[in-house]
Amino acid sequence: MKVYIETYGCQMNEYDSEIVRGILREKAYALVDSAEEADIILLNTCSVRDNADRKVIARVHALRHLNGGAHKKIGLIGCMPTSHRQGLIADGKLPIDFIAGPDSYRRLPSLIEKSIESSDKAFDIRLSRSETYSGVHPFRSGGVNGWIAVMRGCNNFCTFCVVPYTRGRERSRSVDDVVTEARELAAQGCKQITVLGQNVNSYQHDGHDFAYLLDKISEIDGVQRIRFTSPHPKDFPTSLLRVVAENPKVCKHIHLPLQAGNSRVLDLMHRTYDKEDYLALVDKIKRFFPAMVLTTDIIVGFPTETEKEFEDTVDVMQRVEFDSAFIFKYSERKGTLAAKRFPDDVSAVKKTERIVRLNELQKEISLAKNRAHIGQVHAVLIESLRTKKSSSDMQGRTDGNKLVILPRGDAGIGDFVQVRITDASAHVLKGRALST
Ligand code: 5AD
Ligand code: SF4
């Protein structure tokens, strides 16, 4: 049986697709690179916003109409199965054969078999308090970047967010388990490890915290860069800031989701910090490491957010000067506390106005921040020997996660190249390798 997996959403889903590949290969399924070749198509889905859902629904219909698509088995895995359990199982509108939630992947082979034997929709959407896929060997396509999920789930219940419902409660893997997987990645030639979790810095196992875990991973020979995502501002003790600032293998980049700048809105969101707390944390980070690259996530148009309150988000963006920001319109998610408590009362027009304003502001800030790198020299880890536009250029990333494009030279994928930055846009740096 040939299986094709298509992945939507966050890096955790990318990693989970590697877990699923690992599990299916053990059971002698063959992995293929296109839907056309496959007998079984898995869509690893995201439910964080309505447009993520809609993309997958459209894709399922398109796959059914694919030449021979009527005979293929199509399954949804990831976050849609747990966020839309009733709808997906009960009403037959979406032409799928089986669904499996994020904690059900060990049972995926038997679920697939069940769906082959019977035309009834097969499903397994139980969430677990303990599943961390310990002992499963993720099947990676290779390359210099590797992911490791060190914790799963979320206990925060931010009122806008579907994740606690789609992925269940927080649980962490043991330090040994994580270090073993990191060693395997290093042995496969992976230079950079991204440590993943829905609330990665609330990692906790047997009295060991996230700072300890990062230090342990950094002791592995061969691991040269460590990144992590996504942290919550509430879990940045001094010990963690010290590790990020001082451990040379831990990248000097912190993604610090702000969500909103106004304290009343933050309270309604149940973020557990206010505007002043957030700004104080940013100051503290900058005291530890002034050049820390900071990026963020922002939601505009949360229910009841006024024009004046939105100005607080603008204010925080101007004060912090994030290197980049992902900015989203609030999207009501069924079952969340916000959907139950507050009407989605900021108009679509207002949301658009606010997102346009923030994107313009962020573009100016990103451009200024990137231009400040002109003349500097950065160690760039080469990730690709071409760029989207050109095969005579190559690209890689700085320690601070900035994309750098430079003329192709002798360096190969996975090499570190010292690059002098010569030009910059809001999204990318350009440079030349220093001659060695
Ligand atoms: N509407 C809009 N954006 C959301 N996010 C999470 N839930 C929602 C929602 N209901 C955003 C947050 C989060 C990022 C991954 O997605 O900014 O940090
Ligand atoms: Fe989307 Fe969140 Fe699920 Fe990731 S965890 S796939 S962002 S809903």
Side-chain angles (χ1 to χ4, degrees), residues 281-334:
L281 176 59
V282 168
D283 279 347
K284 190 167 170 188
I285 292 171
K286 289 185 176 171
R287 276 201 303 279
F288 268 94
F289 196 88
M292 189 73 77
V293 169
L294 289 174
T295 56
T296 199
D297 291 343
I298 289 172
I299 298 175
V300 297
F302 186 80
T304 74
E305 182 187 62
T306 65
E307 212 56 42
K308 195 156 168 279
E309 289 170 333
F310 166 69
E311 290 301 325
D312 276 320
T313 305
V314 176
D315 185 45
V316 175
M317 283 180 78
Q318 280 167 334
R319 290 210 218 173
V320 176
E321 299 189 311
F322 297 106
D323 287 81
S324 67
F326 297 102
I327 306 167
F328 309 105
K329 295 180 192 174
Y330 171 71
S331 164
E332 187 176 272
R333 305 280 64 205
K334 224 168 147 193

Side-chain angles (χ1 to χ4, degrees), residues 7-14 16 44-49 52-53 77-80 82-83 102 153 161-164 166-167 197-198 333:
T7 309
Y8 296 80
C10 62
Q11 293 189 54
M12 188 64 122
N13 265 15
E14 296 285 346
D16 280 356
N44 194 357
T45 61
C46 173
S47 262
V48 76
R49 284 172 292 276
D53 278 350
I77 61 174
C79 291
M80 276 176 76
T82 38
S83 66
C161 187
V162 79
V163 171
T166 64
R167 287 188 171 265
Q198 263 82 37
R333 305 280 64 205

Side-chain angles (χ1 to χ4, degrees), residues 143-145 380-397 403-415 417:
V144 288
N145 296 312
V380 173
L381 175 59
I382 301 299
E383 291 178 345
S384 166
L385 295 182
R386 54 160 304 130
T387 65
K388 244 189 246 164
K389 289 187 191 150
S390 156
S391 57
S392 54
D393 288 334
M394 58 186 180
Q395 67 182 39
R397 286 186 186 266
L403 187 65
V404 180
I405 292 179
L406 63 157
R408 200 167 155 174
D410 303 333
I413 290 177
D415 288 346
V417 177

